Amino acid sequence: MSLPQLRQAVIAHEFGHAMGLKHNINMFSIMCQLDRRLVIGPSADDCNGINYLYN
């Protein structure tokens, strides 16, 4: 993973916190704290969490 990719993944993760999401164990979620592979965009789980909080 390159430094720009890592930055983008960290920013996406921290933005999830700013939106009210907590850590989870879904490996495809930007909010997963257990797997540090490249996940840049929101997963269905992330979107469902945002919809739950704001609908």
Side-chain angles (χ1 to χ4, degrees):
M1 178 182 314
S2 70
L3 187 56
Q5 290 172 323
L6 178 59
R7 283 187 190 137
Q8 189 172 2
V10 169
I11 289 168
H13 178 90
E14 295 306 324
F15 185 72
H17 284 305
M19 295 295 294
L21 297 177
K22 298 182 190 262
H23 289 138
N24 65 40
I25 58 171
N26 180 342
M27 290 176 43
F28 300 102
S29 169
I30 61 171
M31 298 312 297
C32 183
Q33 67 178 354
L34 302 175
D35 188 0
R36 283 293 172 221
R37 63 186 181 79
L38 180 61
V39 178
I40 294 173
S43 68
D45 186 60
D46 299 315
C47 293
N48 289 337
I50 292 295
N51 285 328
Y52 176 80
L53 289 172
Y54 293 99
N55 282 331

